[in-house]
Amino acid sequence: MFHPKKNEAITFESLGPRPRRNIIPFSQFKPKTKEEIEKLNNDHAANLSKIDLSNIDLSPAYTGNFSYWDIEFLAQIERIKFNKPSIGRYWTTAHHIDFNSLLHHLWGAGYIVSVPLEADLSAFKVDELKSILLQNNLDVSGKKSDLIKRIVGSVPLSFLKMNRLIPNKFRITDSGITAIQNSRRDKVSELSMLAENHRKNNDYDYWRDATKDIMDIHLTNNAWREALFSGIQIYRFDLFYFQTMWDYQMYLCSIGHGLPVKSQAMIAPGIIVNIKKCVQELSLTKNDLFQIFDSAYQDDAFPDCICSKEEAYDLFMRYLNEPFDSLDYVVESYNRRFDARYRRN
């Protein structure tokens, strides 16, 4: 354990100045102005308006690199109808995605193909199909399947695209699926090394952020066991609630000087919700769940904990089976015990 021995004196002077952190205090946070928001909206609208897929099938082969967020956009692509695209503004503002360029590169890399025209037209009503045929002076008799075949065989594709009658949807190829899997695997590896470095440097809040990102990727991949492992690691961290070693030492120093301080473990409701989902998806036995908890808990990962490992597991199981808010009193009782222990020391 990292905390001081009972007889080891701690003084405020020995702590030195608080480490500088690259975080803007809430008091200095300035919301975006109306003009700034309008510019973001205009930039995004311009990005959308540049999308031109009329000749995407002629895109040259692309062998360049894609960023992590390029590939994450690929992962969402089957949900988007590009005749009237509704795409979150954050892709433009936060990730600087150039939609038109990226779409052509994804096609050139062999990661996407167009959804067959028949599949697009099958979503149309009979009256809509007849309207397309009438506009092209074609027969409107027959069943829906006959109308679709007639459109596919006789109506120019340019007419359908020009009038935005087909949604320009894409399907991810097997190569695209492999690219998504590889990108997420590499990102998890990168975040894992980053998290471990943060933990070794006592930057615990950054460790939590990186581990939360890892859990989110596993959840996106439906990798329930891996997500559960990360969730338990965060739960264990949340039972130790100081952002840095300096904060922890300052807490102990204040306790030693009899100053009024309040410890508070912060179990995040969202983490418990994700843990519950993983447990439900995996259909784990109680013994299997304990084995995962035991391996993920990391006894010596952080300086201290408000309770023993056995108590942490008992509380963990109660979170899975009882309303979240009903367990506040349990956490608070552990906090009081933690404070009393250091007051005695």
Side-chain angles (χ1 to χ4, degrees), residues 21 23 191 194-195 198 203-216 234 237:
R21 309 192 64 77
I23 299 175
L191 288 169
L194 187 65
H198 286 321
D203 290 324
Y204 301 128
D205 52 341
Y206 292 151
W207 173 91
R208 190 186 191 283
D209 289 344
T211 305
K212 174 65 166 55
D213 288 341
I214 292 171
M215 183 183 69
D216 288 342
I234 296 173
F237 169 81

Side-chain angles (χ1 to χ4, degrees), residues 172-188:
I172 303 172
T173 64
D174 291 342
S175 296
I177 292 172
T178 299
I180 294 169
Q181 293 170 340
N182 291 341
S183 175
R184 289 175 175 173
R185 181 200 61 209
D186 293 345
K187 189 66 173 179
V188 166

Side-chain angles (χ1 to χ4, degrees), residues 140-196:
V140 295
S141 63
K143 298 179 181 178
K144 182 175 182 178
S145 58
D146 298 325
L147 302 180
I148 291 175
K149 288 179 181 178
R150 201 168 297 140
I151 292 173
V152 172
S154 303
V155 176
L157 188 59
S158 58
F159 171 86
L160 297 173
K161 288 188 175 182
M162 186 183 305
N163 290 279
R164 296 188 171 186
L165 296 172
I166 56 174
N168 268 331
K169 291 187 69 176
F170 295 100
R171 179 178 62 80
I172 303 172
T173 64
D174 291 342
S175 296
I177 292 172
T178 299
I180 294 169
Q181 293 170 340
N182 291 341
S183 175
R184 289 175 175 173
R185 181 200 61 209
D186 293 345
K187 189 66 173 179
V188 166
S189 178
E190 174 192 329
L191 288 169
S192 297
M193 290 189 290
L194 187 65
E196 184 60 17

